[in-house]
Amino acid sequence: MRLLAVVAFVCCCYEASGEEQPVQTFVIPHSHMDVGWVYTIQESMHAYAANVYTTVTEELSKGKDRRFIAVEQEFFRLWWDNVASDSHKKQVRQLVKEGRFEFTIGGQVMHDEAVTDLDDEILQLTEGHGFLYETFGVRPQFSWHVDPFGASATTPVLFALAGFNAHLISRIDYDLKDSMQKDKKLQFVWRGSPSLKTQQEIFTHTMDQFSYCTPSYLPFSNISGFYWNGVALFPDPPKNGVYPNMSLPVTKETVQPYAKTMVENIKQRAAWFRTNHVLWPWGCDKQFYNSSVQFGNMDPLMKYINQNSKEFGVTVQYATLSEYFQSIYQTNLTWDVRGSEDFLPYSTEPYQAWTGFYASRNVLKGLARQASAQLHAAETLFTRYRINFPDGPVAKDWALDKLRALRWAVSEVQHHDGITGTESPKVADMYMQHLMQAMVGVEELLAALFLLPHNLAVSSILRRSVHREDTDQALEQHVIIYNPLAWNITTIINVTVTLPNATVYDDDGQPVPAQIQKSAQSNVSYDLFVMVELGGLQHRKYLIKFSETPRPTKSKCGHTYKAKGVSFERLNVKDWTKTGRRLLPVLNECYKLMFDQDTNLLHSITYLADKRRIRMTQDFWEYDANGDVQAGPISDNYIFSSNGSAKRAYKAVEMEIIPGKIVTEIRQYFYRESSDKDYAYSITTRVPEGIGSRLPCHRLEQTYSLGPLHLNTEVVLRTRTSLKNNRTLYSDDNGYQMMKRTYKKYINNTLARNYYPMVRTAYIEDDLSRLVLLSDRAHGVSSQANGQLEVMLHRRLWNNLPWNLGYNLTLNDSSVVSPTLWVVLGSINATSKQYQREAIELQHRPVIMPIDKPQKPWQEKEPRRNSPVRSVVLPSSLHLLSLSILGWNYSSNHDVHLKHVNSGADLHSESDYDRVLLRIMHLFEEGEDPELSKPITINLKEVLQGIGEVKALEERSLTGTWNISDLQRWKWKTADNLDKNLKHNKRNEDKDFTVTISPKEIRTFFVHFSSGNI
């Protein structure tokens, strides 16, 4: 250890002295453990993952110089809870305390950066950090994002908000990495947010061309590299401990060629960086399951190199990531600044653009987002319940278990081979099963929170029913609608019913505007559209009364309008000789849509506020993919490589229009062949009628149906407009910020390299108008021609690449998918005020919970009582990102918590139900809107009074583990020499509860309420 201190000091002075010093090499032992990908979690735990932590713990305890970094918390937590002995746990605690076993990133998974949503990135990070802080009192401060397929500018912002001091990435465009290596630009300070600027900047290290694996080629052996434990064996580890492909042991005969190979690689890497510190990752996928063999060979090899350091010009030492970054920080060099640009898309070779996964496994992407939205709703509802009814009949431990199961499942699927759709079919099934099982549990929790009587003074929502003057014995059904957002909303919900006549009443007994029509999805069901008005975080009960015959309409909004459709004949594409002659208008208070009766396609939209007409057509096109590696580049789970331009995916179109009083619906059906009985694709567009301006009219809701696709096709929704966007589009990074995507021309593969991820939002614009698409799941998006915006919705692929076949990664996805996009068209000024909030409203639509089936009226009825649920409303530029009871049991005072940890107390035994985590986000960028971009000052005591009386408020880091007044991140010197204030000072919020939230800030608080609020 003394030698290391001397070396570190010498290296800190290296640039200043100009003397030739040995390259200081930080050998970082690690195992890249995919939470999914080819093998299920259970298979990986059994075959190798459990053995990694067992053997690493044992081997680190045998040598004080040895180190290891642990990254994905899901595997570690499974080992800790189910495998580790008391002795192992004691050893780990000591190793963590000594800094030799280091948790890096600390999230449940190494999340993908292209198709993950902000909510879920924060969730999985919070889940892992909560466990680590409660269990060990540690807070990760460095990232190790070595495998996500491209790097988002949102990720460094979130890591900075969580208290990280440095960020590490690897997968960026091959040609960009080459130039950065040559220019020694792999390290920089990244300001990921143009609004937050230096406030959340972070030093970023880009791994060189060898990435996170040790070089696998040995010139003196045909066995792979520095992996002495060989290759993990599935399904069962070998009983004799002999694995395939174990490298030659280090002996007197082999130590010199091993040293020569290692030193040459170290020096090659050193030439690409500004300092003489080299990060040498020792490990790769599924390594260190036999750590005894690993360290037993590396120990003598490193000893040999250090004994000959003058000859080699290199020293080597085991290190954690924090030790490496500490050495870089101590150089006190001045670093280049990177602005809010991301590293997307990502290519590995000229014809390998990793843009296909933006759309792979559409069903999984959709389910993951649905589960996330359900979790948010349940978290807010349970938090409110606990504050108001701490002794209510919903058991707190049971409820928290349900929430934790869904937190785990949603976190798990954020893995970079999970939500990306790049996993094998059995792993995709595993993710789906975990999500659906946990969603069923949370559905039970929601029902309990809605239906069980809270206490004797407050009647059950089930028992409150309304006496009606009509006494017929028609069937009745009750539905609870919950608004999970902290905004007042007026919107349309759709309840599927099986009877054709219905009237809807709210919990005041008043008739509600509604509309019923035959369902687009089924011949035996009906869509009942109901206009609902709900306060923030408020639920209401609605009564649906069915009848055999339609009721007479007493007023425009008094009863349900029964809508009937008008069908238009099927038109063949080959007959489209003259178009645009017969235009059919569909109007509401915001738009005039014109449909062309010569094609059955959309023709144009006029946004009425400015009386500006935009030519606009939507239909489906498909790219043919090559499946034969001998014939050229292929498409697969990861890669999009089109075999030519897109072709029209249909030969005929039918259309049906259902005019309504609540919503007008346009159904378009696309047929592969003119004579086909069944359609291949469809677009259902719902145009809200506005109803006296109470209902927002600027949102056009579209749902699509695609599949099963033909093999080796990739289908896009192509929207062609008269906008002059010059093929420039904007798409979001993880739902946090918009990125300008300028069309670029490449020598090869220009089409695929101009695809970008769309998580929530994409738009194109010209000087006057903007067309916005909002999505309920991630897709790929591109502008391949002027005025065009295409969204890749579905892919079905097979290829004969041996690697793909061996791992079953060919994406033969035969599912039928039904994604939703919301369309907003208008001036740039108008849409700037709308799209952020609309994107969130799409993600967090009202929860619809039928609490019974159609049946005879309830016999027991009571007079209606006013609902005890008060609304919680934030200003329109602020969003309630989180309101939850995490349950982690740790003191907010770090010193107090460390005493608890070091005492050996079992902090897992009792959950904390009194501490509420609150996150509020400012939706707008600085300067984006004259009013909505301003900092907003709110009093949280007043804002939250609808939930209960706030008695204490404490600002925390993003994941809750730091008191913000204690958090002081490293300040890195930058070329622009801007003033920096990375210390988060308290702003007197503990006393007066007043908070000012600036553009794009995410502020996190622990809130304590007075108990028993009713």
Side-chain angles (χ1 to χ4, degrees), residues 893-904:
N893 184 301
H894 182 61
D895 293 335
V896 171
H897 178 57
L898 283 184
K899 289 181 180 178
H900 291 163
V901 170
N902 294 331
S903 71

Side-chain angles (χ1 to χ4, degrees), residues 340-582:
S340 58
E341 305 89 358
D342 59 14
F343 291 95
L344 292 166
Y346 160 65
S347 295
T348 47
E349 294 178 18
Y351 284 100
Q352 291 191 353
W354 292 45
T355 57
F357 78 89
Y358 302 158
S360 295
R361 299 202 189 281
N362 183 281
V363 173
L364 176 62
K365 285 178 166 66
L367 183 66
R369 289 275 283 276
Q370 291 170 29
S372 174
Q374 186 199 47
L375 177 62
H376 174 84
E379 296 273 21
T380 57
L381 199 65
F382 174 64
T383 300
R384 177 170 217 151
Y385 182 91
R386 275 293 306 162
I387 294 166
N388 286 275
F389 309 106
D391 299 318
V394 178
K396 58 185 181 182
D397 292 342
W398 173 82
L400 190 58
D401 284 346
K402 298 293 185 186
L403 292 171
R404 281 177 165 165
L406 190 51
R407 291 174 192 169
W408 185 286
V410 173
S411 296
E412 175 184 87
V413 78
Q414 307 311 315
H415 174 64
H416 57 269
D417 276 306
I419 198 169
T420 52
T422 54
E423 64 279 338
S424 66
K426 68 179 178 182
V427 175
D429 291 343
M430 176 202 74
Y431 290 131
M432 297 275 285
Q433 182 183 21
H434 291 179
L435 287 167
M436 289 187 289
Q437 285 177 343
M439 290 174 76
V440 169
V442 167
E443 190 83 9
E444 294 171 357
L445 171 60
L446 287 170
L449 294 171
F450 284 135
L451 302 179
L452 290 180
H454 298 154
N455 60 23
L456 296 178
V458 180
S459 62
S460 162
I461 196 167
L462 257 178
R463 297 180 63 194
R464 282 190 284 111
S465 191
V466 180
H467 284 293
R468 303 251 354 121
E469 58 187 30
D470 40 332
T471 57
D472 62 60
Q473 291 297 297
L475 301 181
E476 294 183 351
Q477 185 175 16
H478 300 79
V479 180
I480 294 174
I481 312 296
Y482 175 57
N483 171 22
L485 297 170
W487 298 318
N488 297 331
I489 62 167
T490 301
T491 191
I492 299 169
I493 61 144
N494 182 13
V495 181
T496 301
V497 298
T498 56
L499 297 169
N501 302 302
T503 310
V504 184
Y505 302 91
D506 63 19
D507 49 10
D508 288 324
Q510 298 300 310
V512 176
Q515 174 179 319
I516 195 167
Q517 62 196 43
K518 287 187 177 179
S519 173
Q521 310 301 325
S522 169
N523 291 326
V524 297
S525 62
Y526 298 85
D527 291 329
L528 177 61
F529 297 107
V530 183
M531 192 186 83
V532 297
E533 298 180 78
L534 293 164
L537 303 187
Q538 191 177 66
H539 63 265
R540 299 184 69 179
K541 185 186 68 173
Y542 290 82
L543 169 65
I544 305 172
K545 291 184 71 71
F546 298 97
S547 62
E548 296 297 329
T549 57
R551 294 171 178 265
T553 302
K554 295 181 180 179
S555 66
K556 181 177 179 180
C557 62
H559 287 303
T560 302
Y561 178 78
K562 191 165 186 178
K564 295 182 179 179
V566 179
S567 297
F568 297 79
E569 65 176 333
R570 186 181 303 190
L571 298 176
N572 297 331
V573 174
K574 63 182 178 63
D575 298 329
W576 293 357
T577 53
K578 294 182 179 180
T579 62
R581 300 171 302 167
R582 300 178 297 148

Side-chain angles (χ1 to χ4, degrees), residues 837-992:
R837 177 164 168 160
E838 291 292 325
I840 290 169
E841 288 195 23
L842 173 55
Q843 170 68 7
H844 297 291
R845 285 167 281 187
V847 175
I848 304 170
M849 176 166 284
I851 58 177
D852 54 14
K853 294 180 179 180
Q855 59 187 345
K856 296 293 183 181
W858 293 336
Q859 297 301 310
E860 183 178 6
K861 303 197 177 208
E862 294 181 357
R864 186 190 61 81
R865 301 183 184 185
N866 290 327
S867 171
V869 179
R870 299 170 62 188
S871 61
V872 176
V873 182
L874 286 171
S876 59
S877 57
L878 300 183
H879 168 47
L880 182 68
L881 198 62
S882 307
L883 182 72
S884 61
I885 294 172
L886 296 179
W888 298 115
N889 186 8
Y890 54 76
S891 171
S892 295
N893 184 301
H894 182 61
D895 293 335
V896 171
H897 178 57
L898 283 184
K899 289 181 180 178
H900 291 163
V901 170
N902 294 331
S903 71
D906 183 8
L907 299 174
H908 295 284
S909 60
E910 183 63 37
S911 298
D912 185 338
Y913 291 95
D914 297 325
R915 183 165 55 207
V916 173
L917 180 132
L918 168 72
R919 290 192 190 97
I920 298 178
M921 173 182 170
H922 198 301
L923 296 178
F924 288 81
E925 294 283 2
E926 191 174 80
E928 185 175 6
D929 183 87
E931 288 300 319
L932 296 173
S933 290
K934 291 180 178 178
I936 302 292
T937 299
I938 57 174
N939 186 298
L940 286 176
K941 191 178 183 75
E942 295 175 359
V943 167
L944 298 174
Q945 65 184 354
I947 297 177
E949 182 184 356
V950 176
K951 67 177 182 180
L953 183 69
E954 176 190 353
E955 184 160 14
R956 305 290 292 190
S957 60
L958 182 70
T959 59
T961 56
W962 287 89
N963 184 314
I964 210 72
S965 61
D966 298 334
L967 177 57
Q968 187 168 10
R969 298 191 304 114
W970 292 353
K971 299 178 183 179
W972 297 81
K973 290 175 65 176
T974 54
D976 58 10
N977 207 25
L978 291 181
D979 289 336
K980 302 176 185 184
N981 180 17
L982 303 188
K983 182 173 174 62
H984 300 261
N985 296 312
K986 280 193 175 183
R987 309 175 199 180
N988 297 319
E989 285 135 354
D990 292 45
K991 296 181 180 179
D992 61 11

Side-chain angles (χ1 to χ4, degrees), residues 607 612 723-725 764-770 826-829:
Y607 56 96
R612 187 163 288 123
L723 295 178
K724 296 177 175 59
N725 74 314
I764 58 173
E765 64 184 23
D766 58 19
D767 292 340
L768 298 174
S769 306
R770 178 185 287 166
S827 68
I828 293 174
N829 180 54

Side-chain angles (χ1 to χ4, degrees), residues 49-228:
N51 286 336
V52 169
Y53 291 116
T54 298
T55 63
V56 163
T57 300
E58 293 168 353
E59 291 305 310
L60 259 59
S61 299
K62 295 177 182 177
K64 287 291 184 182
D65 292 338
R66 293 174 175 178
R67 304 286 191 273
F68 190 80
I69 63 168
V71 183
E72 300 85 1
Q73 283 308 298
E74 177 154 337
F75 280 129
F76 180 81
R77 289 176 68 178
L78 289 171
W79 175 79
W80 184 264
D81 290 338
N82 303 303
V83 179
S85 66
D86 290 342
S87 174
H88 286 137
K89 290 183 178 181
K90 185 177 180 180
Q91 286 176 301
V92 170
R93 290 186 187 279
Q94 184 61 33
L95 293 168
V96 170
K97 191 175 180 180
E98 294 172 3
R100 300 198 291 118
F101 188 104
E102 181 173 274
F103 295 103
T104 305
I105 306 178
Q108 285 289 94
V109 298
M110 187 187 297
H111 72 257
D112 171 67
E113 298 194 39
V115 297
T116 44
D117 188 87
L118 173 78
D119 294 359
D120 307 319
E121 292 179 345
I122 295 173
L123 169 72
Q124 72 85 24
L125 200 62
T126 303
E127 271 296 283
H129 284 195
F131 166 78
L132 289 176
Y133 191 56
E134 180 186 79
T135 308
F136 303 105
V138 297
R139 299 170 289 202
Q141 297 178 49
F142 305 95
S143 92
W144 181 263
H145 256 227
V146 297
D147 205 27
F149 318 133
S152 161
T154 299
T155 305
V157 175
L158 297 183
F159 286 163
L161 286 167
F164 284 23
N165 286 313
H167 179 38
L168 185 148
I169 62 175
S170 182
R171 290 187 183 268
I172 64 172
D173 258 347
Y174 70 97
D175 42 7
L176 177 59
K177 180 174 281 193
D178 285 347
S179 67
M180 291 171 72
Q181 284 184 171
K182 292 174 185 175
D183 297 336
K184 295 188 177 183
K185 300 287 188 182
L186 289 169
Q187 295 169 317
F188 50 87
V189 171
W190 198 351
R191 294 179 187 150
S193 167
S195 294
L196 299 179
K197 300 182 179 70
T198 60
Q199 183 184 349
Q200 301 302 341
E201 70 182 19
I202 192 167
F203 181 81
T204 302
H205 172 104
T206 311
M207 282 190 154
D208 55 49
Q209 67 187 42
F210 294 102
S211 192
Y212 62 87
C213 290
T214 308
S216 58
Y217 172 71
L218 294 176
F220 56 91
S221 170
N222 61 358
I223 302 177
S224 60
F226 297 82
Y227 309 131
W228 290 283

